[in-house]
């Protein structure tokens, strides 16, 4: 169970948002040219990365969900860590589109365990209509 943060108020101590077990790695998102599907060129845009435990070891079998709106279309996509070694031994990849598209924080990525428990808060990210930024690399670290 996630520990809770507490905030002092005139009514006593009340819980604020709980601290979830994972967070976005500080160096991400990183926007790169898609190296995993070079033949697709600009006809591919996606998000990929890994999940790491406190010691830096990749964690397989974590569920990654991307949802929101992209190019006026509702997005609800799912991936699983450990299925795509192009990004490392705990790698995941979720294709977002068959083209490069600009968006400003209309998509969010959230990490879950196999039981469906939320492991991170949703993290909003942007995309770019730029062939050199069509791979959005987002890693997660255990707190």
């Amino acid at each position: 169970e996630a520990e809770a943060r507490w905030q002092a108020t005139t009514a006593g101590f009340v819980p604020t948002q709980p601290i979830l077990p994972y967070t976005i790695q500080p160096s991400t998102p990183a926007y790169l040219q898609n190296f995993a599907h070079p033949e697709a060129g600009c006809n591919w845009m996606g998000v990929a990365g890994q999940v790491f435990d406190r010691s830096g070891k990749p964690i397989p079998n974590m569920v990654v969900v991307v949802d929101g709106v992209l190019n006026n279309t509702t997005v609800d996509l799912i991936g699983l860590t450990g299925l795509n070694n192009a990004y490392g031994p705990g790698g995941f990849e979720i294709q977002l589109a068959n083209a490069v598209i600009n968006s400003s924080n209309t998509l969010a990525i959230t990490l879950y365990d196999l039981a469906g428990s939320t492991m991170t808060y949703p993290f909003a990210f942007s995309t770019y209509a730029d062939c050199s930024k069509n791979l959005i690399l987002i890693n997660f670290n255990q707190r």
Side-chain angles (χ1 to χ4, degrees):
E1 196 63 32
E3 73 183 76
R5 294 184 191 169
W6 295 89
Q7 179 179 0
T9 67
T10 54
F13 286 93
V14 295
T16 59
Q17 284 190 321
I19 298 170
L20 295 178
Y22 291 85
T23 187
I24 298 292
Q25 194 175 70
S27 60
T28 62
Y31 293 87
L32 309 170
Q33 185 168 354
N34 168 27
F35 60 82
H37 307 280
E39 72 289 348
C42 280
N43 298 319
W44 188 96
M45 184 174 74
V47 61
Q50 293 188 83
V51 178
F52 298 99
D53 69 12
R54 285 184 193 92
S55 67
K57 182 181 168 199
I59 302 174
N61 300 316
M62 298 290 283
V63 178
V64 183
V65 173
V66 174
D67 58 4
V69 176
L70 184 63
N71 207 23
N72 298 315
T73 302
T74 300
V75 172
D76 191 5
L77 302 167
I78 190 166
L80 189 68
T81 63
L83 292 184
N84 198 314
N85 289 336
Y87 308 102
F92 71 89
E93 176 187 271
I94 298 172
Q95 184 174 350
L96 300 172
N98 291 321
V100 291
I101 300 167
N102 274 325
S103 71
S104 182
N105 292 327
T106 61
L107 295 174
I109 189 167
T110 311
L111 187 65
Y112 298 87
D113 65 14
L114 288 177
S117 297
T118 306
M119 296 287 110
T120 62
Y121 288 104
F123 175 80
F125 64 95
S126 297
T127 64
Y128 298 96
D130 181 336
C131 297
S132 68
K133 296 180 179 181
N134 58 342
L135 169 62
I136 301 109
L137 192 68
I138 299 178
N139 291 328
F140 297 90
N141 289 338
Q142 190 174 22
R143 291 184 186 269

